[in-house]
Amino acid sequence: MRVGRISSILGGTAALAFALTACGTADVGGGGEGGGDGGEGGGDTITIGVKYDQPGLGLLEGDTPVGFDVDVATYIAGELGYSPEQINWEEAASANRESFLQQGTVDMVIATYSITDERRQVVDFAGPYYVAQQDILVAADNTDIEGPEDLSGQVLCSASGSRSANNIVDDMGIDAELREAGNYSECLELLGNGTVDAVTTDNTILAGFAAQNPDTYRMVNNPFGEEKYGVGLPAGSTERCEEVNAAITQMWEEGAATEALENAFGATDFAFEEEVPALEDCA
């Protein structure tokens, strides 16, 4: 497994330099005007759910979301026959990703959406397009927390709809007090004012926040677990899943995925994969 280490300074504008097959900028829009073409691509528009509050991954800057997930989404849409101007962006918070897919609000979700057996009961997944690990973010001057074992008795924040905190409390059996927030931006506010002692989620998400505020927050850089980022699709999307998997493979083989990672993250000592993830079979 090859691993690269990111050393560039975080900037949403840098992510826009990503050399995509479908280059350009898409306007924010959304709300049910998806391609609806049964997997053939090239319809009028495609609606994609991304995060709007995660630096380096999906962050709204002006009228346009930018970041690694947005670049991945733009690349995949291009391979499906959609130009950037045909993409409608929809904010997809952790708690509403399944409902957006079930209700037809979006055609796909690319929003640090981990593939799990539980989620597979209600939606389909293509990918993974990236395999992240879980980590911990603390205040910059906090030297007491260096790993999950140090969270016992501490107040731990995670976003609603995410299982990150439960992985520590339930699966690892660590006695931390859980605090749920609407999203990770709220967790960061709680960490900044001392309401919580730590925030836990995927290292990609935490790296973006740490790079944006290096004097305020520190990523522990002691990764554990594994989170396979998938492209969420409505149930029964076998043909579209296969098309998306082909696009993901090409994105990595061309080096476009690595370029997007390098553009997206700052100097947080974050180690990132440089090989195409092992894709799972489409149902």
Side-chain angles (χ1 to χ4, degrees), residues 18 250-260:
F18 177 37
Q250 181 171 306
M251 178 179 66
W252 278 94
E253 290 178 347
E254 289 181 350
T258 301
E259 182 177 354

Side-chain angles (χ1 to χ4, degrees), residues 149-235:
E149 65 279 357
D150 299 322
L151 293 171
S152 181
Q154 305 294 306
V155 182
L156 181 62
C157 187
S158 189
S160 175
S162 170
R163 278 198 48 82
S164 296
N166 299 88
N167 292 342
I168 291 174
V169 174
D170 297 335
D171 299 343
M172 302 177 72
I174 294 172
D175 185 23
E177 178 184 342
L178 299 187
R179 174 69 180 264
E180 190 174 89
N183 53 46
Y184 286 107
S185 293
E186 292 182 20
C187 279
L188 267 290
E189 291 179 13
L190 296 173
L191 180 61
N193 64 31
T195 302
V196 303
D197 300 298
V199 178
T200 187
T201 187
D202 307 343
N203 53 3
T204 50
I205 298 172
L206 299 181
F209 283 120
Q212 192 178 53
N213 304 278
D215 296 329
T216 305
Y217 307 115
R218 175 179 69 88
M219 194 165 81
V220 169
N221 270 313
N222 186 4
F224 54 97
E226 185 176 83
E227 300 294 335
K228 298 178 180 180
Y229 288 171
V231 177
L233 300 167

